[in-house]
Amino acid sequence: MDFEKARFNMVEQQIRPWDVLDFDVLDALAEIPRELFVDEDLQGLAYADMALPLANGHKMLEPKVVARLAQGLKLTKNDTVLEIGTGSGYATALLAKLAGRVVSDDIDAEQQKRAKAVLDGLGLDNIDYVQNNGLTELSAGASFDAVYVGGAVNLVPEVLKEQLKDGGRMVVIVGRRPVQRALLITRKGDVFEEKVLFDTLVAHLDDKDADPFGGFQF
């Protein structure tokens, strides 16, 4: 399979039409070999507009949703971003190309180890890996310029709001079917402003057994 052509088609046919127009995001997506983040027998679907299963039973989110969330953060090389859920490592790679530093949390040590091996192979060395439940526990580092939560939650965790710097941004998908909303939350002092980025439908981070969409989606 011509992965380079498939990657180009993904960007032009899936990502751009979904209102992802930030040149830095588009350039990063054009560079990241998504096929390396999926199981070998699924590499032919690496650039399809669909969620793909991971070895631990969880799933990768569709590329266009990852791209739209990342675009919402407006990351720069001066930013340190907290990622909740390393998952496949694909979103981690995108964040690492856009930000100065990424702190990536995951509760699954084995899955995080698999992702780290791919990310290390790509030379992405501005990532710190933490094993914990980032939805309930403080991560390494006192505060962050941005927080990326790549799956759905019922409510925005207060622990994540607390870790945002003044002026910091967070993207998170909130709610349950039939409609979930991807939110951009911006901290201004003690006030957290919310803006709806788009509607979607993805799995919850903490109850894959109860949701037919199942599991983390990163």
Side-chain angles (χ1 to χ4, degrees):
M1 180 173 177
D2 187 343
F3 289 120
E4 186 173 346
K5 182 178 180 181
R7 193 177 311 126
F8 174 84
N9 290 339
M10 177 193 75
V11 171
E12 296 301 318
Q13 297 173 13
Q14 297 176 38
I15 308 300
R16 284 184 188 272
W18 226 52
D19 292 331
V20 179
L21 303 174
D22 183 288
F23 288 123
D24 290 336
V25 174
L26 294 172
D27 288 346
L29 291 169
E31 296 172 356
I32 300 170
R34 185 174 166 85
E35 69 273 11
L36 299 183
F37 294 93
V38 306
D39 288 347
E40 188 173 353
D41 61 341
L42 294 173
Q43 287 188 342
L45 297 173
Y47 295 98
D49 185 16
M50 60 187 295
L52 295 176
L54 298 174
N56 65 353
H58 297 162
K59 291 185 177 70
M60 297 173 66
L61 191 62
E62 301 99 300
K64 67 184 183 186
V65 177
V66 174
R68 189 87 174 269
L69 290 172
Q71 176 178 257
L73 291 175
K74 299 187 183 301
L75 295 171
T76 74
K77 289 298 183 181
N78 295 320
D79 288 332
T80 297
V81 55
L82 171 64
E83 178 189 29
I84 303 302
T86 311
S88 70
Y90 181 69
T92 319
L94 179 58
L95 297 173
K97 284 184 173 290
L98 298 172
R101 176 171 169 254
V102 178
V103 177
S104 187
D105 288 13
D106 202 289
I107 59 175
D108 186 332
E110 287 302 312
Q111 181 60 46
Q112 190 176 67
K113 183 178 178 181
R114 286 190 287 268
K116 183 178 184 299
V118 178
L119 293 161
D120 287 348
L122 295 175
L124 296 171
D125 57 4
N126 60 336
I127 306 167
D128 297 326
Y129 301 89
V130 179
Q131 186 190 354
N132 72 356
N133 184 345
L135 295 176
T136 60
E137 302 173 57
L138 288 171
S139 185
S143 58
F144 298 90
D145 301 291
V147 175
Y148 173 100
V149 186
V153 293
N154 286 327
L155 298 170
V156 180
E158 289 297 320
V159 69
L160 296 182
K161 289 184 176 181
E162 293 169 7
Q163 293 178 87
L164 275 180
K165 293 180 180 178
D166 190 12
R169 297 87 63 204
M170 170 167 42
V171 286
V172 57
I173 298 170
V174 178
R176 288 190 174 273
R177 60 176 63 205
V179 176
Q180 297 166 332
R181 291 201 164 108
L183 302 179
L184 171 65
I185 298 173
T186 304
R187 182 169 193 169
K188 296 185 176 179
D190 294 329
V191 176
F192 295 87
E193 297 182 351
E194 294 186 2
K195 175 184 177 182
V196 177
L197 294 177
F198 57 93
D199 292 343
T200 188
L201 185 60
V202 303
H204 272 239
L205 298 184
D206 54 1
D207 63 350
K208 72 168 188 172
D209 292 334
D211 191 329
F213 280 82
F216 286 82
Q217 300 211 7
F218 300 107

